[in-house]
Amino acid sequence: MNLLRKNGAAAVISARTYADFTTQATFEIKKCDVHKLDEGPATQVVMTRDEGLQYYRTMQLMRRMELKADQLYKQKIIRGFCHLYDGQEACAVGIEAAINQTDHLITAYRAHGYTYTRGGTVKEIMAELTGRRGGIAKGKGGSMHMYCKNFYGGNGIVGAQVPLGAGVALACKYQGNNELCVCLYGDGAANQGQIFETYNMAALWKLPVIFICENNRYGMGTSVERAAASTDYYKRGEFIPGLRLDGMDVLCVREASRFAADHCRSGKGPILMELQTYRYHGHSMSDPGVSYRTREEIQEVRSKSDPISLLKDRMLSNNMASVEELKDIDVEVRKQIEDAAQFATTDPEPPLEELCNHIFHNNPPLEVRGTHPWSKLKSIS
């Protein structure tokens, strides 16, 4: 340790350097359950120190962003529908670590985390939540309708994103660009008829699509056991190969997603994944989340399976980071979130004249009828 004099006070500086840390380590992960597959993903995986720090930062940022959204919602600064993702961070981070930014992704309405991993900024997401001009959808989409390049939302109709995702995968196959589409839905949507229609078409046409069921155990306030005659969601594709894995472990998700991506890119057609995960908040902000499950259940998951704690413990026990370094990341993340929240509460709301803009892409300006025939609005692409 060194002592440094600054403003007359002695500051202690650690002499520990990056050279002291393990640059990569091998980890044992849980074996996946498989359906119609001869073998599953590897159970021994390698993670570098840089990867671990990146995963930690992204998951912390997603967690803090959702907690800030909760706070702003309770202050009535965010209004309307708002579905939070805290607890499920390993799903988004693990999937993104296994695919390319040029690949495509579509999800349901619990979409804030994916908007960030797909390329949106925290400022744009927070400003969209508060309905401001600087939002990622210009303040007109809100919590459920955020988009960016190769990310198709944020979809508010239960299960409706699944056939759309297969359509994106059809475009990938048609263009022959070796890209794929990740198509996410929850256990609550898994009984939708349109999902089974999509499975059939995707299998017939061998579409490069990864169907992912994020099973967080509850569809709104109904447990999976009460809602589904079979809770083996990874087998629901019947004629489509499937994997079931621990969705609270970022390395499990990453390895299974890599396996699935290789399957799609090799021309074998679709594959189905079930990520066993958990949400800490209720279904949405209007759901306290404790009328159909106990506080003790939530606390037990937090204490035994939290995705951020699991990664943190792995990194510390393998000398891949120091407690101080991770604390510094936490401080940086908190500041980033506070700055974004400040922007989201001070940025102006979009003016009425912009209400009908962007109905069409690259189209001449057109008149749009308002709430009555003599109310005219203009739409500009």
Side-chain angles (χ1 to χ4, degrees):
M1 304 291 274
N2 298 325
L3 283 175
L4 177 71
R5 288 276 163 191
K6 188 175 180 185
N7 300 329
V12 180
I13 296 194
S14 173
R16 194 174 183 191
T17 64
Y18 291 125
D20 297 330
F21 292 118
T22 306
T23 54
Q24 71 173 42
T26 302
F27 299 94
E28 191 77 30
I29 58 171
K30 288 178 192 169
K31 190 177 180 182
C32 293
D33 296 319
V34 297
H35 170 66
K36 288 187 76 71
L37 289 165
D38 295 330
E39 58 179 1
T43 54
Q44 280 209 327
V45 300
V46 174
M47 179 179 72
T48 67
R49 168 180 147 80
D50 288 344
E51 286 170 344
L53 290 173
Q54 182 194 338
Y55 302 159
Y56 181 81
R57 178 185 293 275
T58 307
M59 287 200 288
Q60 272 291 22
L61 203 141
M62 289 162 74
R63 174 76 54 90
R64 290 284 157 197
M65 181 169 69
E66 298 297 58
L67 294 178
K68 178 55 73 172
D70 170 271
Q71 186 186 337
L72 293 175
Y73 197 96
K74 286 169 179 168
Q75 292 170 2
K76 298 188 177 178
I77 295 168
I78 296 172
R79 311 297 287 263
F81 293 104
C82 187
H83 306 80
L84 301 183
Y85 198 66
D86 51 319
Q88 299 183 210
E89 296 90 352
C91 298
V93 174
I95 291 165
E96 286 289 357
I99 63 172
N100 305 323
Q101 208 64 34
T102 50
D103 288 321
H104 308 265
L105 191 143
I106 188 166
T107 188
Y109 37 74
R110 206 175 300 280
H112 309 159
Y114 288 103
T115 309
Y116 178 71
T117 60
R118 287 273 89 192
T121 67
V122 184
K123 271 188 176 179
E124 288 173 330
I125 295 164
M126 295 300 291
E128 191 57 45
L129 288 171
T130 57
R132 308 303 171 106
R133 277 181 98 163
I136 200 158
K138 314 283 187 202
K140 295 187 284 184
S143 170
M144 300 195 294
H145 304 288
M146 301 186 188
Y147 314 90
C148 50
K149 189 169 174 60
N150 298 332
F151 176 58
Y152 307 87
N155 290 268
I157 306 297
V158 173
Q161 72 279 7
V162 179
L164 298 181
V168 174
L170 176 60
C172 293
K173 181 165 185 174
Y174 188 78
Q175 291 171 346
N177 51 22
N178 203 32
E179 292 170 4
L180 57 83
C181 183
V182 174
C183 186
L184 295 125
Y185 56 96
D187 52 277
N191 298 316
Q192 285 269 323
Q194 59 190 325
I195 291 178
F196 292 90
E197 291 180 57
T198 306
Y199 288 165
N200 185 57
M201 293 172 79
L204 274 174
W205 297 343
K206 285 194 165 18
L207 299 183
V209 56
I210 307 174
F211 296 113
I212 300 183
C213 175
E214 289 183 289
N215 176 5
N216 60 23
R217 301 196 210 169
Y218 298 94
M220 296 187 74
T222 307
S223 68
V224 291
E225 293 80 13
R226 289 179 61 218
S230 167
T231 56
D232 290 338
Y233 295 105
Y234 72 111
K235 293 180 179 177
R236 289 284 192 94
E238 192 182 342
F239 36 77
I240 296 174
L243 298 166
R244 179 168 62 189
L245 56 131
D246 181 3
M248 302 299 270
D249 181 350
V250 69
L251 295 183
C252 250
V253 179
R254 185 190 72 178
E255 289 312 302
S257 300
R258 279 180 180 165
F259 179 93
D262 289 344
H263 176 95
C264 285
R265 292 194 214 278
S266 64
K268 293 177 184 173
I271 189 166
L272 208 158
M273 289 168 60
E274 177 189 341
L275 310 186
Q276 295 183 306
T277 185
Y278 199 80
R279 56 169 162 79
Y280 294 153
H281 269 84
H283 169 72
S284 70
M285 284 301 295
S286 59
D287 166 25
V290 288
S291 58
Y292 50 86
R293 57 182 185 175
T294 62
R295 292 182 194 277
E296 289 73 31
E297 177 186 305
I298 302 165
Q299 196 49 49
E300 186 180 8
V301 176
R302 276 187 187 274
S303 60
K304 292 182 180 175
S305 308
D306 183 74
I308 299 175
S309 299
L310 179 63
L311 177 64
K312 182 179 180 179
D313 293 345
R314 272 184 176 148
M315 293 192 72
L316 293 176
S317 59
N318 284 273
N319 191 37
M320 297 180 87
S322 67
V323 174
E324 296 77 22
E325 188 176 17
L326 297 179
K327 274 184 183 168
D328 287 345
I329 291 173
D330 296 347
V331 170
E332 285 171 32
V333 163
R334 280 199 181 93
K335 184 180 186 315
Q336 195 176 343
I337 298 298
E338 287 304 324
D339 290 348
Q342 178 66 23
F343 174 74
T345 51
T346 55
D347 194 48
E349 293 181 356
L352 184 62
E353 303 84 72
E354 290 184 13
L355 179 65
C356 297
N357 285 358
H358 312 114
I359 293 174
F360 297 104
H361 170 65
N362 201 19
N363 206 64
L366 72 149
E367 265 194 352
V368 178
R369 195 191 114 153
T371 51
H372 46 76
W374 51 92
S375 163
K376 300 290 183 188
L377 296 161
K378 188 167 273 190
S379 176
I380 300 166
S381 298

